[in-house]
Amino acid sequence: MATSRWGILGTAGIAEKRLIPALRSSQVCELRAVASRDKAKAEEYAFRNSIPVAYGSYQELFDDPSIDVIYIPLPNHLHTQYIKMCVEHGKHALCEKPLAVSSQETEELIRLRDEKQIMIGEAYAMYHQTRLKAIRKMIEEGRFGTLRYAHGVFYLTNSDGDNIRNNYPGEGGGSLWDIGVYPLAVGRYLFGEEPETVSCTMHHHEQFKVDHQSTGTLRFPSGKVLSFGCGMGHPLHTHMSLYSDTHRIEIPRTYFSGSVHGSEFSVYEGELSGNAPEVYRYSPEDQYMNECDAFHMAVYENQSFAGSLENTLSQTRLVEALFRAAENNSIERVQR
């Protein structure tokens, strides 16, 4: 099988923490280069992470004929601009979420992808964990009754004024675009349908002017309901709860696969909350490596990729509706 050769655009911490170890573990992906607008910064990053080539400009990475795939972990408002640059230079692009911050941008990228036949994917690594795939399959099979309601949260502490999450109000900054998208994406994935209407309440940080806490409700055509909460002024907590007519499912650390200790979820059945749950446990795995391998297979074997632009478009339209709902203090319909 062919090996895909990867480059990283920028020297972001998430690439160093998540993507670089994933590429090193992969049997089909090879990390070849990193680019920064600061040559010394690129060289230091490359040395620290044993990356063969360090470029002092983004253009040099785009011009490198040996690079097949470029990973983009830049600030949210720059994503679309540099995805277009990748496509113009014949490079497949895996971009951190949110891949785009408007549905118009996403629609434009879909047209560009189809015209140029270049793969563009959004890096939602949790789609590639065995646990969530198994839960979705069991739900589809009716193992846990009829799913009716879910609640998901992603909270963390972030009071750093220099952090990109606390900047760029109206351009992808804030808690909803950065972490609120996780329970939204997983809820849509597990429900297997798209929401019709939404409501949302936001609290904006007085200094940073971005949303620092958001809560909302999504209603789906089948009658299912998803509620969510996200915020950057709380201790770290990531969790989802699912409720059917017969079962309750608890998914701790929902958006992380557990590369060291593995992952699990618990299923409670019956009316008595004191009943011992059935616990499903999964071996340690690197969901980021799974994601890179899946993107490789999408490029070279024409396999489907969970973080498709079509999925991005549905997610982006949903987030836009939530912002409208918060601004207008109303129930808003999600664009189709």
Side-chain angles (χ1 to χ4, degrees), residues 22-323:
L23 291 174
R24 294 208 186 290
S25 300
S26 173
Q27 299 298 307
V28 295
C29 305
E30 177 188 0
L31 178 56
R32 294 291 303 155
V34 62
S36 171
R37 288 172 293 186
D38 183 328
K39 176 70 170 178
K41 190 174 183 179
E43 289 176 339
E44 193 278 331
Y45 191 90
F47 176 79
R48 189 167 68 244
N49 293 287
S50 301
I51 302 173
V53 180
Y55 289 125
S57 72
Y58 293 163
Q59 189 63 49
E60 289 178 279
L61 182 61
F62 292 131
D63 291 338
D64 185 340
S66 73
I67 297 299
D68 305 306
V69 179
I70 292 179
Y71 170 68
I72 304 174
L74 300 174
N76 296 341
H77 68 290
L78 299 176
H79 287 174
T80 299
Q81 171 187 347
Y82 284 103
I83 291 171
K84 291 178 180 178
M85 290 287 289
C86 288
V87 174
E88 288 172 7
H89 289 80
K91 312 297 186 188
H92 305 285
L94 179 64
C95 183
E96 266 306 319
K97 55 81 210 158
L99 183 145
V101 292
S102 78
S103 54
Q104 290 80 7
E105 288 179 339
T106 311
E107 290 167 347
E108 184 179 354
L109 290 175
I110 289 174
R111 289 191 294 269
L112 188 63
R113 176 203 63 189
D114 293 344
E115 176 188 346
K116 301 295 186 180
Q117 293 297 294
I118 295 293
M119 183 66 188
I120 302 171
E122 186 170 24
Y124 275 115
M126 77 279 176
Y127 284 147
H128 305 278
Q129 59 172 261
T130 302
R131 175 180 57 169
L132 284 183
K133 291 180 181 179
I135 294 172
R136 180 176 178 174
K137 186 173 186 294
M138 292 179 193
I139 290 172
E140 290 172 346
E141 293 172 345
R143 294 268 297 274
F144 306 129
T146 302
L147 185 61
R148 292 178 174 171
Y149 171 69
H151 178 68
V153 299
F154 197 141
Y155 292 110
L156 53 75
T157 302
N158 183 355
S159 58
D160 180 4
D162 294 326
N163 189 282
I164 59 173
R165 298 176 180 88
N166 287 320
N167 289 275
Y168 309 112
E171 297 183 285
S175 67
L176 181 56
W177 275 120
D178 188 66
I179 55 178
V181 291
Y182 284 99
L184 300 178
V186 172
R188 292 174 45 246
Y189 175 77
L190 295 179
F191 280 4
E193 59 179 324
E194 300 299 336
E196 287 186 324
T197 60
V198 300
S199 59
C200 185
T201 301
M202 290 183 178
H203 168 74
H204 288 76
H205 194 281
E206 184 175 349
Q207 176 184 351
F208 305 142
K209 309 303 181 186
V210 298
D211 62 287
H212 239 234
Q213 180 171 315
S214 296
T215 59
T217 302
L218 290 59
R219 296 187 179 276
F220 292 76
S222 65
K224 296 183 183 72
V225 175
L226 169 68
S227 62
F228 77 94
C230 64
M232 300 193 292
H234 313 276
L236 179 65
H237 183 48
T238 64
H239 192 92
M240 288 198 75
S241 301
L242 312 178
Y243 301 87
S244 77
D245 55 342
T246 55
H247 295 75
R248 171 169 59 94
I249 304 170
E250 300 292 345
I251 316 173
R253 290 180 52 81
T254 311
Y255 323 114
F256 305 96
S257 62
S259 59
V260 176
H261 302 294
S263 60
E264 65 181 40
F265 70 94
S266 301
V267 180
Y268 296 81
E269 183 176 7
E271 296 181 4
L272 299 178
S273 59
N275 291 347
E278 183 175 5
V279 181
Y280 295 77
R281 295 186 173 88
Y282 296 85
S283 300
E285 64 176 343
D286 185 345
Q287 64 185 24
Y288 298 92
M289 186 194 76
N290 294 347
E291 175 183 61
C292 293
D293 287 355
F295 192 77
H296 170 95
M297 296 302 291
V299 170
Y300 290 98
E301 301 293 333
N302 199 31
Q303 294 189 10
S304 62
F305 185 70
S308 69
L309 286 181
E310 286 73 18
N311 182 72
T312 298
L313 182 59
S314 295
Q315 179 85 348
T316 305
R317 286 172 172 171
L318 166 57
V319 175
E320 289 175 330
L322 287 166
F323 273 105

